[in-house]
Amino acid sequence: SLPVNGKSRATPRAKGWRVALMLLPGLLVLGLVEGGLRLAGVGYPTAFFIARNGDTLETNERFAWRFMPRELARDPLAFRMARRKPVNTVRIFILGESAAQGFPDAAFGFGRILELMLRARHPERRFEVINTAMTAVNSHAVREIALECLRYEPDLLLVYCGNNEVVGPFGPGTVFQSWMPPMGFIRLQLGLSRLR
């Protein structure tokens, strides 16, 4: 601190350290409780992809629980993929909502059509079109899925979003709340929803 008119005044750096020291005990307790709950198997995985048998990933049917009540939550399409992209493969992730998913029947969604067209055009390459789109979500959920997809060597992310920006989770016309919270509050809430 620097003395000003006989009084000591803390610099911004000193104030930052004081705040950090005040928060540290609470964060340590939270970290210990969170670690203990995870070790005890309490809660559920919150990631979109969950590991199965080492190098295999599959979709997490509980992923949407972070964004909406369990009774309203929709499941992502069930699929498995290798964690590491196979050699000579183009990996494409489809991100979005019900239209991107191919609702009501994903077999007729544009992801399947794209995969067939690419295979016909380039038979020498292997194409892996992975549809991570989900019904009833919006860009808040799509962003979380996209961040995970970036870990698995994508060559392309295709995003197809629409009206759920208004009626989806945290949207201004949603059934889950009557107001639209600020972005910082939404990101904080989604971060906290990862805790057990």
Side-chain angles (χ1 to χ4, degrees):
S1 19
L2 302 171
V4 176
N5 296 335
K7 298 180 182 177
S8 125
R9 193 169 120 196
T11 64
R13 178 178 253 174
K15 285 181 184 179
W17 279 107
R18 286 181 186 165
V19 170
L21 288 173
M22 287 177 10
L23 294 176
L24 187 61
L27 292 174
L28 284 174
V29 169
L30 178 64
L32 288 172
V33 170
E34 178 70 11
L37 291 173
R38 284 178 185 261
L39 286 173
V42 174
Y44 61 91
T46 58
F48 184 80
F49 296 107
I50 50 179
R52 293 281 187 236
N53 302 329
D55 197 41
T56 304
L57 299 170
E58 64 182 41
T59 51
N60 178 6
E61 62 187 19
R62 299 175 184 172
F63 174 76
W65 291 6
R66 292 179 54 210
F67 303 93
M68 58 191 76
R70 292 179 185 189
E71 58 275 2
L72 297 176
R74 308 288 192 198
D75 293 341
L77 296 175
F79 66 82
R80 288 189 176 151
M81 71 175 200
R83 184 183 301 268
R84 302 277 310 170
K85 181 174 65 174
V87 178
N88 197 36
T89 298
V90 176
R91 184 173 271 181
I92 301 169
F93 287 98
I94 306 284
L95 298 144
E97 305 153 357
S98 53
Q101 186 185 54
F103 184 82
D105 189 348
F108 301 102
F110 86 88
R112 289 284 298 136
I113 296 167
L114 174 65
E115 186 172 17
L116 293 171
M117 289 172 66
L118 289 170
R119 285 180 182 174
R121 177 76 182 222
H122 302 282
E124 74 284 359
R125 302 293 301 266
R126 181 172 185 265
F127 290 92
E128 200 175 55
V129 179
I130 302 163
N131 194 336
T132 64
M134 291 180 63
T135 302
V137 299
N138 61 12
S139 61
H140 299 295
V142 172
R143 176 183 178 271
E144 298 283 320
I145 297 168
L147 291 172
E148 281 192 57
C149 290
L150 292 175
R151 299 180 198 159
Y152 304 113
E153 306 171 85
D155 292 296
L156 185 63
L157 298 176
L158 291 177
V159 181
Y160 181 29
C161 290
N163 75 313
N164 285 8
E165 291 309 299
V166 175
V167 298
F170 307 108
T174 183
V175 297
F176 306 121
Q177 63 208 19
S178 60
W179 60 288
M180 185 173 166
M183 187 63 69
F185 179 80
I186 293 171
R187 296 276 165 81
L188 175 64
Q189 185 176 347
L190 290 177
L192 291 175
S193 71
R194 289 182 176 275
L195 298 176
R196 301 294 173 99

